[in-house]
Amino acid sequence: MKSNRAMVDRGERPDTTFDLAAVGMAFVSLDGVLLHANPKLCDALGHSLDEIAGRSTQDLRHPDDAEAALQHIQVLREGVVQSATSEERLLRRDGSPLWVAVTRSVARSPSGAPLYILEVMHEIGRYKRAEEARERDLAGERAARIRVELAEARMSRLQTITSELARALTPTEVADVVLRQGLAAVYADAGYVALLGEEGVIELLLAPGYPEEIVERLRRIPLTAALPSADCIRTGRFLVYDSQETFCATYPDAPPQRWANTWVIIPMKVGGRTIGALGVTYVDTCRITQEDRAYMCTLAQQCAQALERSRLYEAEQRARLAREEALAIAAHDLRNPLSAMTLVASSMMRAAPDDATGQWVRERAQKLKATAEHAMELLHNLLDAAIIEANTLTLERERCEVDALLAEVAEIHAPLAEQKKIGLGPRPLGRAAVTTCDRGRVIQVLSNLLGNALKFTPAGGAITLSAELDGAFVRFSVADTGPGIRPEDVPRLFDRYWRPRAVRGAGTGLGLYIVKGIVEAHGGRVSVDSKLGVGTTFSFTLPIKPIEHASPRNARKGPR
């Protein structure tokens, strides 16, 4: 209390206003010692004046605010400013914070020398609590908005993954899509896809972000290995390790991964079977939320289904190649015997006498020849279909005059049309037009379409074989007055081995499939227009100028 007496001796004793003020007030020495405090401030702090007078004001402030208050006093003492206000926290007797707005000013002597600092303190606890509540609400709103935006971004990414997985054919392509898109969606630094193969061996398909030496050690591991991917596949459990200590303690034999701190391993399941594991790795220690878990499980499910599809696709490809190889061998072995049968039958027909016995021989030989020729045709169709399916159809292009092609095909089929009493009328362009194509293959297409028209058009009907220019293409058409095709059958007409129910039992169902393959190899397009009871028109286009590298699967499409 000596300081207080000194103030009194100098005639600076606090007056009644100081003691009765409704706000906290204090006199503070220039070196930060509390000289005097009014009852309002003492009550607010829970101390008596004797307990706090003479103490450093730093002891009464919250540690986080003490340094700023000291700097505040320093600039006042040096005369940089005459008064200033700041928000600070004082400490009550029980240690709880008391928020106040402190206005400080310097009392000076007549000569201008600083004497002490006057502090006036308004309690702002209610305001600060309201402000903190607003901040919490805003923070909650921001967090909710971030969660919504994150969920939307992840959903968009998932749609992209689904789209790209539809085009992924091999397991490696599947893994690339899931890791490239999925790791970005969960903000991971590295990851891997491990697939359980034959004989209990786990194969690492891809591991972006992992050091190459670790990838090499984990490329092929047994299912019995004490490693995260093997453990996940064996148990089918979602595994999370969020520290180096936990990971190393669980898998002491695992390759050292000091660069990472969080590991997540998700089982990939199909039909209740765990076929592999999706690994997600973070450099930092991360908290994996329920939303993260759900998204990672969805990624793993997408990956598992796509991997199963790729397995089925590869198995189908292997089976198809084996089938095509077997067909090619069989065709090669059958072609010579069938040709020999045709020659023998022709020789028998020429050598048979003109009597009744010879007639019987000629009839049998004719049936034998027809059967051999039909078998040869089926064999050629099977081979053509195999070539088209394998995308290896080659074309021997030459310049062909359009009207000449129409005339040649009409001439070939005229006898059969006359026999069936069907009118066959070619409708030429009537002017010179040339297309560059494989003449034999185009005649095969026209003959196939014309043969079908002759097969289904009744006696007395008509078939028109025509051509017209369509921009940079020539459109060939075969129109008949047959019974037409049911609308539900039209979309499948060009499918391999498919035949309408009404005509099943004849042919292989390859004719229109071959037509489509040959036309698309030229860079054209085939179409059909049919009405029940009216007739059917098959059309296809050929480019006037050749389109290089066209194939049945990737040819540039002609006009509809």
Side-chain angles (χ1 to χ4, degrees), residues 23-103:
V23 297
M25 299 181 70
F27 290 110
V28 179
S29 70
L30 297 178
D31 56 359
V33 175
L34 181 68
L35 302 175
H36 191 68
N38 71 348
K40 179 66 176 179
L41 179 58
C42 293
D43 290 344
L45 295 177
H47 288 287
S48 67
L49 179 60
D50 289 337
E51 290 174 330
I52 59 176
R55 292 176 57 183
S56 171
T57 53
Q58 294 295 83
D59 297 339
L60 301 177
R61 294 191 179 95
H62 192 282
D64 292 346
D65 298 336
E67 183 63 28
L70 192 61
Q71 294 176 1
H72 200 189
I73 293 172
Q74 178 70 21
V75 297
L76 287 170
R77 188 173 60 212
E78 295 175 355
V80 177
V81 294
Q82 295 303 310
S83 67
T85 302
S86 65
E87 293 182 355
E88 300 173 5
R89 285 167 291 181
L90 303 179
L91 292 178
R92 296 186 177 96
R93 175 188 287 273
D94 60 7
S96 62
L98 173 67
W99 274 102
V100 294
V102 184
T103 300

Side-chain angles (χ1 to χ4, degrees), residues 434-511:
V434 176
T435 179
T436 303
C437 63
D438 187 318
R439 184 183 188 88
R441 289 296 188 181
V442 172
I443 289 176
Q444 181 183 357
V445 169
L446 288 168
S447 296
N448 191 305
L449 297 177
L450 192 51
N452 283 345
L454 288 169
K455 183 187 300 183
F456 296 110
T457 301
I463 299 174
T464 302
L465 184 62
S466 62
E468 61 181 342
L469 295 180
D470 187 356
F473 292 81
V474 177
R475 181 183 299 278
F476 294 86
S477 298
V478 178
D480 64 53
T481 58
I485 303 169
R486 296 185 307 175
E488 60 268 27
D489 290 338
V490 170
R492 300 195 60 191
L493 284 175
F494 299 96
D495 289 354
R496 193 179 188 191
Y497 298 123
W498 187 85
R499 298 184 303 276
R501 287 193 295 269
V503 297
R504 292 192 178 172
T508 60
L510 290 173

Side-chain angles (χ1 to χ4, degrees), residues 221-443:
I221 61 172
L223 183 59
T224 56
L227 293 170
S229 57
D231 197 9
C232 176
I233 295 173
R234 282 196 308 269
T235 63
R237 293 186 296 114
F238 190 108
L239 305 177
V240 179
Y241 303 97
D242 55 5
S243 70
Q244 281 276 349
E245 293 75 14
T246 304
F247 183 84
C248 294
T250 308
Y251 304 107
D253 298 330
Q257 300 178 31
R258 298 299 180 186
W259 55 276
N261 282 283
T262 304
W263 296 261
V264 184
I265 309 94
I266 312 100
M268 299 189 302
K269 299 181 179 181
V270 173
R273 296 181 297 111
T274 302
I275 67 169
L278 171 63
V280 178
T281 309
Y282 296 89
V283 170
D284 299 323
T285 299
C286 301
R287 185 176 70 88
I288 306 303
T289 66
Q290 289 299 321
E291 290 82 1
D292 294 333
R293 285 174 173 262
Y295 191 80
M296 291 177 184
C297 286
T298 301
L299 279 179
Q301 183 66 23
Q302 290 265 39
C303 188
Q305 292 174 350
L307 286 171
E308 192 69 7
R309 287 197 302 271
S310 70
R311 278 180 167 180
L312 294 175
Y313 172 79
E314 289 188 336
E316 190 276 334
Q317 289 295 97
R318 288 193 297 270
R320 183 185 63 79
L321 291 174
R323 183 177 66 247
E324 304 304 350
E325 184 178 356
L327 177 60
I329 294 172
H332 181 270
D333 292 342
L334 288 173
R335 185 182 290 111
N336 289 338
L338 289 173
S339 298
M341 289 174 60
T342 303
L343 291 174
V344 169
S346 298
S347 298
M348 292 174 61
M349 292 170 63
R350 288 193 300 269
D354 292 334
D355 55 15
T357 301
Q359 181 63 28
W360 183 87
V361 170
R362 279 190 294 274
E363 290 175 357
R364 298 302 185 275
Q366 178 62 39
K367 289 182 180 179
L368 177 61
K369 181 181 179 182
T371 301
E373 288 175 344
H374 180 64
M376 186 68 77
E377 181 183 358
L378 294 179
L379 187 60
H380 287 160
N381 282 344
L382 288 171
L383 288 174
D384 282 344
I387 292 171
I388 291 170
E389 178 67 18
N391 203 22
T392 57
L393 179 65
T394 58
L395 302 176
E396 297 179 3
R397 299 178 187 271
E398 59 180 303
R399 290 171 58 82
C400 299
E401 208 278 321
V402 173
D403 283 353
L405 285 173
L406 296 179
E408 183 175 350
V409 174
E411 183 179 354
I412 293 171
H413 293 82
L416 180 58
E418 185 178 349
Q419 179 184 342
K420 297 189 67 173
K421 299 180 180 178
I422 296 172
L424 175 57
R427 193 173 64 200
L429 277 172
R431 55 176 170 152
V434 176
T435 179
T436 303
C437 63
D438 187 318
R439 184 183 188 88
R441 289 296 188 181
V442 172
I443 289 176

Side-chain angles (χ1 to χ4, degrees), residues 12 27-28 30 82 105-109 112-118:
E12 297 169 356
F27 290 110
V28 179
L30 297 178
Q82 295 303 310
S105 57
V106 180
R108 298 181 180 276
S109 67
L115 299 174
Y116 58 87
I117 296 172
L118 172 64

